[in-house]
Amino acid sequence: MRVPSLLLIAAGGLALSACAGRNTPPSRSVTVVYTDARMIERAFTDDGLLLERYDVNNDGVIDNYVYLQPMDDYDMDLQDLTGLMPYEIENVRVVRKEIDVNFDGTIDVIRFYNRRGVPFREELDTNFDGNVDRRNYYDGDRLVRREIDTNGDGTFDERRHYAEGELFRVERDTTGDGQSDTWQFYERTQLVRVGRDLDGDGVIDAWQQIRIDRDRPDVMGTRDRNQETNGD
């Protein structure tokens, strides 16, 4: 199979602009751009994969890396590459893609693929500081979970859960102790209640019910209800 190179991988509601500076907030639109980039090299890796290196903007610097699993005529993974040359292998499947989106020499997006060639996870550096601050998880073509490092300390302190493409729960660690202490629940994209763990035992102790004016969904009220509960 021919593997097209990706100038930009940004599914799941996040687009990284290739021309954006390091201090430019990423766009929230979905952008996927394909290009006939120039392949610079195709070689075997130490773990038996094929690595294709691309120069997307033709500046002489590698900015796209595509890792491929060689396969035989029965679409089984090839384990023995003895005697084979990288450029003569045609039957492959994509394992991973790494992209330098803003052409600064640092990888900004890493996307992982299953055997069917469908992405199941991606890691993103959304502010171009060299560190992964967002991870997206997919089931088929749908985003099911997003993990975010909100303060750049290397810890993923916010988790967003999706069902049928819609956000239904957000979990946050606001104290930095590594466990969630705030939960937000959504119905049809509207925030309906918030639960909080007040004593750090991992159990919701207090609920805040969000009242939505159905005639005016932009107007919301709240009602606090403290109770001992198991979070169900």
Side-chain angles (χ1 to χ4, degrees):
M1 60 175 288
R2 179 179 181 272
V3 180
S5 61
L6 269 177
L7 170 61
L8 180 60
I9 295 182
L14 173 68
L16 301 174
S17 172
C19 60
R22 287 185 173 273
N23 296 321
T24 303
S27 167
R28 290 291 173 176
S29 61
V30 176
T31 306
V32 179
V33 181
Y34 289 90
T35 178
D36 289 327
R38 183 163 55 99
M39 188 198 302
I40 303 299
E41 182 184 19
R42 197 186 208 209
F44 291 126
T45 66
D46 292 339
D47 54 355
L49 298 178
L50 273 174
L51 171 58
E52 295 182 345
R53 296 179 172 92
Y54 290 87
D55 175 14
V56 170
N57 60 346
N58 294 311
D59 65 351
V61 179
I62 304 299
D63 39 52
N64 275 238
Y65 301 81
V66 181
Y67 292 83
L68 309 168
Q69 172 63 57
M71 297 190 297
D72 60 22
D73 293 337
Y74 302 97
D75 290 339
M76 301 296 292
D77 292 353
L78 276 176
Q79 304 297 330
D80 186 5
L81 302 177
T82 303
L84 296 176
M85 299 297 292
Y87 285 93
E88 67 183 11
I89 297 178
E90 297 183 356
N91 193 19
V92 296
R93 63 179 177 85
V94 181
V95 175
R96 184 171 78 252
K97 292 182 180 180
E98 301 177 356
I99 298 93
D100 174 10
V101 173
N102 62 340
F103 309 118
D104 66 347
T106 302
I107 297 299
D108 306 302
V109 179
I110 304 175
R111 178 173 276 186
F112 301 86
Y113 295 78
N114 62 23
R115 291 193 62 88
R116 295 180 289 110
V118 178
F120 67 90
R121 187 174 91 246
E122 63 183 1
E123 301 177 353
L124 306 102
D125 173 13
T126 64
N127 59 1
F128 304 115
D129 68 349
N131 299 306
V132 173
D133 52 49
R134 183 168 300 191
R135 295 190 296 226
N136 294 330
Y137 298 84
Y138 298 90
D139 182 7
D141 60 351
R142 290 186 180 274
L143 177 68
V144 294
R145 187 170 83 252
R146 172 171 290 159
E147 300 175 348
I148 304 173
D149 175 8
T150 62
N151 57 9
D153 67 350
T155 302
F156 292 85
D157 46 56
E158 179 175 306
R159 290 172 174 81
R160 301 180 181 183
H161 300 267
Y162 298 81
E164 300 298 324
E166 288 192 356
L167 179 68
F168 73 91
R169 187 173 78 247
V170 177
E171 303 170 6
R172 291 191 175 94
D173 171 17
T174 65
T175 62
D177 65 353
Q179 70 177 15
S180 299
D181 52 66
T182 302
W183 293 260
Q184 294 178 328
F185 297 87
Y186 294 78
E187 292 180 4
R188 297 190 295 275
T189 73
Q190 293 282 351
L191 179 63
V192 293
R193 60 176 178 157
V194 179
R196 291 184 174 87
D197 172 17
L198 303 178
D199 54 12
D201 65 352
V203 177
I204 295 177
D205 304 305
W207 286 99
Q208 181 183 29
Q209 202 72 24
I210 308 298
R211 178 179 55 80
I212 302 174
D213 188 330
R214 297 300 178 183
D215 296 325
R216 295 187 60 192
D218 57 319
V219 177
M220 295 187 297
T222 63
R223 180 168 59 88
D224 291 329
R225 178 164 56 89
N226 295 333
Q227 63 179 35
E228 293 297 326
T229 175
N230 62 5
D232 290 337

